[in-house]
Amino acid sequence: MTIYLEFEKPIAELESRILELQQTANESPVDLDPDMLKLRKKADKLIGDTYKRLTPWQKTQVARHPERPHFKHFVTDMFDEFIPLAGDRAFADDQAIIGGFAKVGDRRLVVIGHEKGDDTESRIKHNFGMGKPEGYRKAIRLMELADKFNLPVVTLVDTSGAFPGVQAEERGQAEAIARSTQKCLDLGVPMVACIVGEGGSGGAVALAAGNKVLMLEHAVYSVISPEGCASILWRTGDKAADAAQAMKVTAQDLLELGVIDKIISEPVGGAHRNRALAIANVGKAIFAELDLLKKLSPSDLKASRAEKYLSLGSI
């Protein structure tokens, strides 16, 4: 069953009529195909027009859509093999951050990303994609392995932010995030990060400080969630739409600001309407960037990252 967002109500009503007409056609001798085709064209046009003029808040809703492709879908479709590695060798294995060795054709690499889960049980298991200190320390361990074996690193970012619980703070959440970010910057191998859903706060940056940062067309990337920003500035979450507008969270805004390097197109109506095509677009973009970066020496890779991030915000 398709899940429609609040602003998609007109689309939902039209596609509901199409479904009713299909059911009627199955029980009627009358040829209803022309009517269904006309409605389908109308629905497709409505979807296209709606997604061309999404507001930042609507893009935030799309980025959070439960049917968007998650880390497990990208790994399954993008790579021929994936061997997950567990644990930070200090405390535990964090299921919110998954990573391991991957292979596609002759290409070998290390892949790390957030996994939110797609039903109640898996969301609880993966803590809704909110990484804990052991998750970021696992990411550091995997990046160290990538450096050791000269393997490029790809990260797929999709988190509302790092887990804010007391126990995570007691185990050094801020330190783990800082060291993961530092490790990204210190890598002697190419690193490409892609924001595929939400890129929330330091929990996202800790896996996204790569040589190239890509972003899906309707993904969002920000220092805090719109609701969090609204609760601080206006003391109410009802102003989330205003906060999203002011924060410049969209891929289009961030490309203009120089925070990201490239926008990856999504299927019409969002990645959740055609996971396979969205994943194929992400894979094509990532591998193209890796092919360019592999020409650089370790020192050049580090220097390019330093230049990239030190120049952000400069006038």
Side-chain angles (χ1 to χ4, degrees), residues 65-82:
H65 199 290
E67 294 178 345
R68 274 180 84 82
H70 295 153
F71 181 80
K72 65 179 182 181
H73 303 122
F74 284 100
V75 165
T76 299
D77 288 7
M78 279 175 56
F79 306 109
D80 300 327
E81 296 178 24
F82 177 67

Side-chain angles (χ1 to χ4, degrees), residues 161-174:
F163 183 60
V166 173
Q167 291 181 338
E169 296 297 335
E170 290 174 343
R171 295 198 296 273
Q173 183 73 289

Side-chain angles (χ1 to χ4, degrees), residues 121-285:
E121 184 179 354
S122 63
R123 286 173 189 142
I124 292 172
K125 175 184 176 182
H126 295 290
N127 200 36
F128 299 86
M130 296 186 293
K132 298 177 182 178
E134 49 270 26
Y136 294 104
R137 291 181 179 125
K138 174 168 64 175
I140 294 168
R141 184 170 74 86
L142 294 177
M143 286 188 272
E144 288 173 346
L145 286 173
D147 241 349
K148 180 177 180 179
F149 295 111
N150 195 32
L151 299 173
V153 175
V154 168
T155 59
L156 302 170
V157 177
D158 186 14
T159 181
S160 58
F163 183 60
V166 173
Q167 291 181 338
E169 296 297 335
E170 290 174 343
R171 295 198 296 273
Q173 183 73 289
E175 178 268 346
I177 289 173
R179 289 194 179 277
S180 183
T181 307
Q182 180 185 36
K183 188 60 194 178
C184 292
L185 298 173
D186 288 343
L187 281 172
V189 295
M191 179 179 177
V192 176
C194 184
I195 316 298
V196 296
E198 285 186 277
S201 192
V205 174
L207 297 186
N211 294 95
K212 296 293 180 179
V213 181
L214 317 181
M215 198 166 168
L216 273 172
E217 181 181 358
H218 302 308
V220 293
Y221 191 21
S222 61
V223 70
I224 191 173
S225 70
E227 296 95 328
C229 177
S231 68
I232 292 171
L233 296 182
W234 293 287
R235 299 286 190 259
T236 173
D238 295 339
K239 292 282 190 177
D242 294 328
Q245 182 73 42
M247 290 165 61
K248 306 293 185 184
V249 301
T250 70
Q252 294 72 26
D253 286 329
L254 295 169
L255 181 65
E256 185 177 345
L257 291 169
V259 175
I260 65 169
D261 300 289
K262 184 176 182 180
I263 296 174
I264 303 172
S265 297
E266 295 191 26
V268 176
H272 58 282
R273 279 191 163 82
N274 190 336
R275 281 180 179 173
L277 179 56
I279 293 171
N281 289 348
V282 168
K284 182 178 179 180

